[in-house]
Amino acid sequence: MTTDLATSDPATATHAAPPPLAEPSGWHEIRLTVNGAPVTAQVESRLLLSDFLRDRLRLTGTHVGCEHGVCGACTVLVDGEPARSCLTLAVQCAGAELRTVEGLAPGDAPLTPVQRAFHECHGMQCGFCTPGFVMTATALTEQPQRPDAADVADALSGHLCRCTGYRNIRRAVCQALDERFADGPAGRGE
Amino acid sequence: MRRPERPGGSRLKPTPFDYSAPGSVGEVLALLADEEREAKVLAGGQSLIPMLSMRLARPGLLVDITRVPGLDRLYADASGALHIGAAVRQSRAADDPVVRDGWPLLAAAIRRIGHPQIRHRGTVCGSLAHHDPAAELPAAALALDARFVIAGPGGTRTVGAADFFVATFQTAVAPDELLTEVVLPPRAGDGWAFEELARRHGDFATVGVAVTLRRAPDRRTVAAARAVFCGAGPVPVRLPAVEEALTGTDAGAAALDAAASAALAGLMPADDVHATAAYRREAAAHLLVRACTLAWERCS
Ligand SMILES: Cc1cc2nc3c(=O)[nH]c(=O)nc-3n(C[C@H](O)[C@H](O)[C@H](O)COP(=O)(O)OP(=O)(O)OC[C@H]3O[C@@H](n4cnc5c(N)ncnc54)[C@H](O)[C@@H]3O)c2cc1C
Ligand code: FES
Ligand code: FES
């Protein structure tokens, strides 16, 4: 994983102590890994992971729709598993390894098979839901065995899309899975 | 879940609280006993964090129990009973081969919770302690004769499933106590099924039913039956009349009809925005028949 975030992005910067608050509230120092780069930050206990990523690390690829767990736009990978960043506190992620959509193809790196499939299959229209779908689909392609159709439907049901009608999203995910599992369960589709 | 109001288009934000991730059950209990600030257990956060963001809950301190060593244990003991610690995530339990082989009803009920993105973080014990009346796991726990191990200031006690679920969002766990694990006795050979009606895949059940059936040694009759409904009252509902209608029968059409009639007569669900009571009752009777048919086929 490249760490080009370090030069262009505050992700790797150690965040200075926060300004004092009017009301008492616990602040904690957390250390975690975001897209392969180590991050140390002071966070307020109540800071949601989605807001930490977007407002503090300026990783605005993670979108925020409903902010109560229903739409899936904010889905990121926490230790490899897709999870709602709006239903996770930043402070719960101390020691965790996070991946967001920015980490998939940083800088000039080629798109991942999942990203390419969304492009080729027209798996998006406005794109608001896309980062969440892409992270869930990425986790599906990283499973040791090809997930069956029911597992794919179950995983995609955790995301809402108001534009596409889902068919092209499912096609994209199937294309990425075909590529990844072309040589049997151990094959690497890249 | 109700859509929150957002005055001025502002973001959803919890009120301020402190956070602690202690390393032992003793420390958890000491923090929960804090009388200065209202302390609340934080497990997977999949029910609690939305409530914080909507400011329906305003705790002073969250005690994250997922880093307590030992609470993440999931194992079958020497007697064959399954122990699920408070930090065990729903996905992990549903995917565990021991759970799938020995307690397939539990695995099936977990897979009906929301979506994988929720189950990766939500815990089994968190769902039981939260006790939403439409949730799947309380019904499954009652069908499987779960025992609940609760640690508190006065020591540790064990509560049976019949006494654990007290009312909507209320259980035998007091605010200064911790549900440390749930224990399921071995149920080898029982047929099982979890059937539910939900508006969309992944939604809470409008109504649902967990069924277990056991074949008598003659292999032709029902030796024991258990049927527990969710979404049908403030606590998981077990109807003796339904179970009596099945026990001793061949689980054939007449017996299933009698069980469905007993469910129609005995269930007293509430009207709400999702469904009328009459619709829920009718749906529950159909789900019961389907679940009994499946469970009978799955008996070994
Ligand atoms: C989009 C979405 C869909 C969902 N769909 C479903 C569904 O279909 N069916 C369903 O059943 N659930 C559903 N859920 C809820 C989910 O199952 C939660 O994970 C579960 O209800 C709570 O578990 P948790 O570990 O996240 O607990 P938390 O949210 O951390 O805690 C919930 C409550 O229980 C208390 N608590 C937690 N653990 C303990 C303990 N060990 N001892 C004492 N108190 C404790 C907390 O203090 C809190 O009050 C859904 C959630 C979302 C966001
Ligand atoms: S913003 Fe997190 S699920 Fe909608
Ligand atoms: S592409 Fe617009 S919401 Fe999915």
Side-chain angles (χ1 to χ4, degrees), chain A residues 66 68-71 84 87 92 158, chain B residues 1 32 39-51 57 62-63 65-66 71 85-90 109-110 112-115 118-119 121-132 134-138 149-150 164 169 171 173-175 177-181 196 198 200-205:
Chain A
C66 66
H68 65 288
V70 175
C71 74
R84 306 291 204 230
L87 295 190
Q92 286 176 288
Chain B
M1 201 167 283
L32 292 179
K40 234 178 166 359
V41 171
L42 173 67
Q46 301 302 286
S47 294
L48 183 52
I49 294 177
M51 290 168 62
L62 289 191
V63 185
I65 58 163
T66 60
L71 288 186
V88 174
R89 314 268 179 188
Q90 293 157 2
I110 292 174
R112 297 211 178 242
I113 295 175
H115 320 285
I118 306 298
R119 305 193 294 263
R121 293 198 67 77
T123 62
V124 172
C125 288
S127 172
L128 295 166
H130 186 59
H131 186 217
D132 189 304
E136 289 83 358
L137 296 192
V149 182
I150 301 170
F164 183 77
F169 298 121
T171 68
V173 183
E177 292 182 317
L178 177 71
L179 172 62
T180 56
E181 64 173 359
E196 76 174 28
R200 288 165 306 202
H201 180 93
D203 279 8
F204 277 93

Side-chain angles (χ1 to χ4, degrees), chain B residues 263-286:
Chain B
L264 280 171
L267 287 175
M268 282 177 288
D271 283 317
D272 67 17
V273 291
H274 301 300
T276 62
Y279 178 78
R280 275 208 168 82
R281 216 177 352 239
E282 184 82 25
H286 283 287

Side-chain angles (χ1 to χ4, degrees), chain B residues 40-216:
Chain B
K40 234 178 166 359
V41 171
L42 173 67
Q46 301 302 286
S47 294
L48 183 52
I49 294 177
M51 290 168 62
L52 296 173
S53 288
M54 296 178 201
R55 302 199 168 188
L56 296 171
R58 296 162 175 264
L61 171 69
L62 289 191
V63 185
D64 183 345
I65 58 163
T66 60
R67 293 176 193 245
V68 176
L71 288 186
D72 62 347
R73 289 187 71 198
L74 173 66
Y75 65 99
D77 67 18
S79 76
L82 179 70
H83 295 245
I84 306 174
V88 174
R89 314 268 179 188
Q90 293 157 2
S91 290
R92 185 176 148 216
D95 292 345
D96 190 283
V98 173
V99 176
R100 290 189 144 187
D101 290 349
W103 292 267
L105 172 62
L106 178 70
I110 292 174
R111 269 186 254 109
R112 297 211 178 242
I113 295 175
H115 320 285
Q117 297 86 347
I118 306 298
R119 305 193 294 263
H120 285 147
R121 293 198 67 77
T123 62
V124 172
C125 288
S127 172
L128 295 166
H130 186 59
H131 186 217
D132 189 304
E136 289 83 358
L137 296 192
L142 185 52
L144 295 172
D145 274 326
R147 282 177 288 125
F148 297 82
V149 182
I150 301 170
T156 297
R157 64 202 172 98
T158 301
V159 174
D163 300 318
F164 183 77
F165 303 105
V166 174
T168 300
F169 298 121
Q170 226 183 307
T171 68
V173 183
D176 59 354
E177 292 182 317
L178 177 71
L179 172 62
T180 56
E181 64 173 359
V182 59
V183 183
L184 302 178
R187 297 294 289 265
D190 282 8
W192 60 275
F194 196 103
E195 291 295 305
E196 76 174 28
L197 178 77
R199 284 169 69 228
R200 288 165 306 202
H201 180 93
D203 279 8
F204 277 93
T206 303
V207 67
V209 64
V211 168
T212 66
L213 294 177
R214 183 173 299 166
R215 277 186 201 259

Side-chain angles (χ1 to χ4, degrees), chain A residues 50 63-75 84-87:
Chain A
S50 46
H63 290 173
V64 159
C66 66
E67 288 185 281
H68 65 288
V70 175
C71 74
C74 68
T75 301
R84 306 291 204 230
S85 60
C86 75
L87 295 190

